[in-house]
Amino acid sequence: MEQPKTRDADRSRAAILDAAEALFSEHGFEAVTLAQVGAAAGVSRGTPGYFFGTKEALYTTVVERAASALREHVAASGAGLDQTIAAVLELIVRRPSLVKLIDRQRGALIGEPHAEAFRDAVGGRYDDGDPTTLVALALCWFPVSHPG
């Protein structure tokens, strides 16, 4: 006999955020509906709205989560250029939707998405005016955010 499904708000919320990140990164904000997010997350079509209210609020949460993950991953990598580059490369391979999402968001807001995303991620670590770090990381970022 099949066990009845149990409700788990944290698991549902995480599934919605993961599905929304994948959909928004691949198709952009305008092309995605809350019903599509619900279907991709394996929840009812109304569940994303229940947890996040609006598509705009869900999108904001997804973008903030992605930017936070990038900042935290870089911060945990160590202070050296080699560690920073290795950390970003690892994150790019493990979570390419994050790269595409941040790139889409940054491009819509400011026009220089790669440099700005990395400047935010590395904070004041490389304020010496040497753009080597930003260039090296942007070269890793671009092929993932713009495949083909």
Side-chain angles (χ1 to χ4, degrees):
M1 178 156 61
E2 188 176 321
Q3 293 267 341
K5 289 187 177 182
T6 58
R7 293 185 182 191
D8 184 335
D10 291 337
R11 185 179 64 218
S12 294
R13 190 174 196 283
I16 291 166
L17 289 170
D18 290 344
E21 180 179 306
L23 289 168
F24 287 139
S25 72
E26 198 60 38
H27 305 290
F29 174 79
E30 294 298 326
V32 175
T33 67
L34 287 179
Q36 290 170 319
V37 173
V43 299
S44 73
R45 66 184 293 150
T47 303
Y50 172 79
F51 279 104
F52 296 95
T54 65
K55 183 171 85 165
E56 291 80 5
L58 173 59
Y59 184 75
T60 298
T61 302
V62 168
V63 170
E64 288 172 356
R65 183 180 85 145
S68 178
L70 179 59
R71 281 190 300 272
E72 290 170 12
H73 200 72
V74 169
S77 70
L81 176 60
D82 291 347
Q83 292 94 343
T84 300
I85 292 173
V88 172
L89 285 173
E90 189 271 329
L91 189 61
I92 286 171
V93 169
R94 185 169 49 88
R95 203 164 153 195
S97 61
L98 178 142
V99 172
K100 292 178 185 178
L101 180 72
I102 291 175
D103 196 61
R104 278 184 180 276
Q105 177 66 15
R106 291 291 184 178
L109 293 177
I110 52 175
E112 288 186 357
H114 312 95
E116 290 299 321
F118 290 118
R119 196 169 290 118
D120 285 352
V122 300
R125 294 167 108 181
Y126 302 103
D127 286 341
D128 60 3
D130 180 9
T132 305
T133 302
L134 296 178
V135 170
L137 294 174
L139 289 172
C140 301
W141 184 282
F142 191 80
V144 175
S145 66
H146 296 86

